[in-house]
Amino acid sequence: MTIFQTKKIQSFISFIIVLIAILWIFQDNILRISFLKKISDNTELNQFEYGDSSYLEKIDNFNVKEYSDNQKILHIMTADTYFSYKDSPVKLLNIEVRTFNEDQKEGLTLNANLAQINKQGEFFFNGDVLIKTKNNAIHEINTESLMYVSDDGVIKSNQDVVYTGEASTINSQGMLMNINSDKLLLNGVVNVAHKSGSLLESSNLSINHSKNKKVYQSKERTIYRSTDNEITADAGFIMNMNNNLTNLLGNVKLIGTAGTTMYSSNLIIDQSNDSEVFKTNDPTRYDSPESNIRSNKMYYDTSANKIKLTGNVVAIYE
């Protein structure tokens, strides 16, 4: 038994001696591997912190003109900084693009903090974009990707768009605009949040800034919501931001507090002077749990909570 234990101890000592010898022989390789791993980790960190360290070319105060096949200027592009990469789109910081039409008259101007150009030469603006038309109308939008197609003379986006308007913020599912126009189309479902707190839901909204107009218009079914009222219009709306008047088109249904309902058409919402007044000159039916009233006109001041029905009024009380 004692002999067996002695042999085990001798074997263990032999193993330790061999292990020490191996570590001594390969110590340089082990240190080299550890050092290379540390370099690799630091490189990855630097690349993460300095994302533009891998660019192929950098140009400050970048300026270029692009011409069509018949040697007409399509646009002039300037940027604070230009970066090109091997396998990624060109990146431009603080970019401005001025477009030109066939007659070489300047169209719209686009300004953005960031833009990219892919291998096909397509422009993509990211984040906040300011659009100035040839007639000095301003459109301010935010989107993940806004595309400028010089061959077609349009700018468009298939991403969610936030449009900053007069006294309102508008969300849509995309946009389309001709570079020679003062009009812009917000595609898909559209939500208009007014500074008063009211919310208007519709789709395919046209924004017209021509001739100093500030008009939003949709021909689609529309829902208007405020603190105590909900109004549905089946033929869309026209919102004039110069006078804060909104016309709900077609057949209109207004649901108020305490179970009241009104049916009419072509209802005007007056939000001037921070008010909220509903009015129409079309026949109106007012229903409540206690009465049924018909009239030719209606005027409803929500702040005073008073409804005025006039013209051939017929009332039935229960």
Side-chain angles (χ1 to χ4, degrees):
M1 184 68 177
T2 303
I3 296 172
F4 177 74
Q5 290 179 344
T6 301
K7 287 184 176 181
K8 284 184 65 178
I9 293 170
Q10 290 175 345
S11 298
F12 180 73
I13 292 172
S14 298
F15 172 76
I16 294 298
I17 293 171
V18 171
L19 180 60
I20 291 172
I22 292 173
L23 291 174
W24 178 262
I25 294 171
F26 293 102
Q27 63 176 329
D28 291 341
N29 290 335
I30 293 171
L31 290 173
R32 187 179 298 112
I33 291 170
S34 176
F35 180 71
L36 289 174
K37 185 179 186 304
K38 185 177 291 186
I39 290 177
S40 177
D41 290 343
N42 289 336
T43 300
E44 290 178 2
L45 179 62
N46 288 337
Q47 287 178 346
F48 176 79
E49 292 178 344
Y50 307 101
D52 288 325
S53 62
S54 59
Y55 60 79
L56 297 179
E57 184 181 19
K58 176 185 176 183
I59 303 174
D60 292 325
N61 300 316
F62 181 75
N63 189 315
V64 68
K65 294 181 181 179
E66 184 173 344
Y67 293 85
S68 64
D69 293 337
N70 56 359
Q71 295 302 305
K72 290 187 176 182
I73 298 176
L74 294 174
H75 55 258
I76 298 175
M77 177 173 53
T78 59
D80 285 355
T81 313
Y82 165 101
F83 294 100
S84 65
Y85 304 87
K86 181 179 179 181
D87 298 315
S88 299
V90 166
K91 183 188 294 184
L92 297 147
L93 304 181
N94 297 324
I95 181 175
E96 178 180 274
V97 175
R98 291 185 291 137
T99 65
F100 294 83
N101 61 19
E102 282 291 325
D103 298 326
Q104 296 296 272
K105 293 182 179 180
E106 191 166 337
L108 57 78
T109 301
L110 298 101
N111 291 89
N113 293 332
L114 176 64
Q116 299 179 68
I117 306 175
N118 62 17
K119 300 296 184 182
Q120 290 74 40
E122 298 168 329
F123 287 76
F124 293 89
F125 297 84
N126 312 114
D128 293 326
V129 181
L130 191 67
I131 303 169
K132 183 178 180 181
T133 71
K134 63 181 181 180
N135 295 318
N136 296 320
I138 301 295
H139 299 285
E140 185 177 347
I141 68 172
N142 181 284
T143 183
E144 184 177 329
S145 179
L146 177 67
M147 183 178 179
Y148 165 51
V149 187
S150 58
D151 291 342
D152 298 332
V154 298
I155 54 176
K156 60 182 181 179
S157 176
N158 295 322
Q159 305 290 328
D160 290 343
V161 170
V162 179
Y163 180 95
T164 302
E166 292 73 21
S168 63
T169 301
I170 307 172
N171 291 269
S172 73
Q173 296 176 306
M175 67 152 287
L176 177 66
M177 184 177 185
N178 188 292
I179 65 172
N180 295 311
S181 175
D182 292 322
K183 298 179 182 180
L184 180 150
L185 177 65
L186 296 176
N187 301 324
V189 176
V190 174
N191 294 305
V192 183
H194 194 269
K195 68 174 184 178
S196 64
S198 64
L199 180 65
L200 191 146
E201 301 175 7
S202 191
S203 55
N204 300 326
L205 178 67
S206 170
I207 297 177
N208 184 2
H209 280 191
S210 62
K211 298 179 180 178
N212 295 320
K213 295 179 181 177
K214 294 179 181 178
V215 176
Y216 306 156
Q217 182 174 3
S218 172
K219 297 181 180 180
E220 309 291 340
R221 183 177 182 270
T222 299
I223 300 176
Y224 172 90
R225 292 187 177 93
S226 60
T227 303
D228 297 317
N229 301 281
E230 178 179 298
I231 309 174
T232 303
D234 65 1
F237 73 95
I238 299 174
M239 180 183 291
N240 188 334
M241 298 306 296
N242 283 331
N243 56 19
N244 279 310
L245 295 179
T246 301
N247 192 349
L248 297 178
L249 306 174
N251 297 318
V252 174
K253 178 181 178 181
L254 187 155
I255 301 175
T257 57
T260 60
T261 305
M262 280 190 284
Y263 300 89
S264 188
S265 57
N266 301 319
L267 179 73
I268 294 175
I269 303 173
D270 186 348
Q271 292 177 300
S272 61
N273 301 318
D274 297 323
S275 64
E276 184 185 54
V277 174
F278 306 144
K279 54 187 176 182
T280 179
N281 292 327
D282 287 1
T284 301
R285 190 182 90 202
Y286 172 88
D287 292 337
S288 73
E290 299 82 17
S291 63
N292 179 285
I293 307 173
R294 295 176 182 271
S295 67
N296 287 343
K297 298 180 181 181
M298 184 273 293
Y299 183 95
Y300 175 19
D301 186 343
T302 62
S303 61
N305 198 25
K306 291 184 179 180
I307 301 174
K308 184 178 181 181
L309 301 171
T310 58
N312 296 322
V313 177
V314 178
I316 300 175
Y317 294 92
E318 296 182 359

